[in-house]
Amino acid sequence: MKTPYKSIYQVLKLNRFIVLTVIIGSIVTSMLSVISVIKLYKETVNNAFVVGTDGSVIPIKLVSQKENLEVEILAHLELFHTYFYHIDASNYEKNLNKALWLGDSSIADLYGQKKAEGVYNRLLQYSLVQKVKKVISKIDKQSAPYHFETTTVFEINRGSIIDTYELTTSGSIIHVDRNFPNNTHGLLITNFFENKLKKIDYEN
């Protein structure tokens, strides 16, 4: 006997088809969205933008990271050695805290060792001024981690007496996420070691 109504099985089959179509459509749409975002991200990473005088957005191709690598490593090393060794009674805590952001536990261990040996207490007790005069680094940038050797010339002002020293340090550099303003270069010093310290005659 025919009825004006569809069988329950036909209705369920139609509903299932509609649900599956919606699900598949959602998955395809999501995948296309993810692909678009990844593509946009890659394009953004490789380009910087400035606003023209007429309000238009102009893409500028960034210089590749490898071309800037040596400059950034040298700047990072100079910044660290200046923070770590250019200290006096008024700035040593601030400078050392900044230096600790630029290296791994080997820096923290060295800081702890110097603190235990009374280096910073003497700085306060005798109002010493330790001033960095020059930082020269050599790096091997063939492959990461990048090994370096740095020569830091600094003087210690004891009031009437000024002594100049040359310190040789070494370690490696690895890439990390940039952290503004604590680690703007996105580099980290590892396996840091003070190799040799000697007193020298230094002329500006």
Side-chain angles (χ1 to χ4, degrees), residues 2 8 26-27 43 48 54 59-60 74 84 89 91-92 114 116 129-130 139 156 168 197 203:
K2 293 185 178 181
I8 187 68
S26 299
I27 292 173
E43 291 176 353
D54 59 349
I60 299 177
L74 291 175
F84 202 75
N91 72 7
Y92 82 97
K114 287 178 177 290
V129 177
Q130 187 168 294
I139 58 173
I156 298 180
T168 303
L197 176 67
E203 296 181 2

Side-chain angles (χ1 to χ4, degrees), residues 95-113:
N95 280 9
L96 290 172
N97 283 333
K98 289 180 179 179
L100 291 174
W101 277 96
L102 307 180
D104 69 353
S105 59
S106 61
I107 304 295
D109 290 344
L110 179 60
Y111 167 66
Q113 178 185 337

Side-chain angles (χ1 to χ4, degrees), residues 113-170:
Q113 178 185 337
K114 287 178 177 290
K115 191 173 183 179
E117 292 173 353
V119 171
Y120 306 117
N121 285 337
R122 289 194 293 273
L123 191 76
L124 295 171
Q125 184 178 357
Y126 299 107
S127 298
L128 303 179
V129 177
Q130 187 168 294
K131 184 177 181 181
V132 171
K133 306 295 291 183
K134 184 169 59 175
V135 178
I136 300 174
S137 298
K138 296 178 181 178
I139 58 173
D140 179 4
K141 58 180 188 298
Q142 295 301 317
S143 61
Y146 311 104
H147 182 74
F148 71 85
E149 184 173 281
T150 299
T151 300
T152 304
V153 176
F154 63 91
E155 63 182 24
I156 298 180
N157 189 326
R158 297 181 173 87
S160 59
I161 301 175
I162 298 177
D163 293 322
T164 304
Y165 297 87
E166 181 181 272
L167 173 67
T168 303
T169 57
S170 63

Side-chain angles (χ1 to χ4, degrees), residues 3-36:
T3 66
Y5 302 103
K6 294 182 179 180
S7 71
I8 187 68
Y9 298 105
Q10 288 177 320
V11 173
L12 291 174
K13 187 176 181 180
L14 179 62
N15 287 344
R16 185 174 64 176
F17 174 77
I18 293 172
V19 170
L20 287 176
T21 302
V22 171
I23 292 174
I24 294 172
S26 299
I27 292 173
V28 171
T29 302
S30 298
M31 291 178 64
L32 290 175
S33 298
V34 171
I35 293 172
S36 298

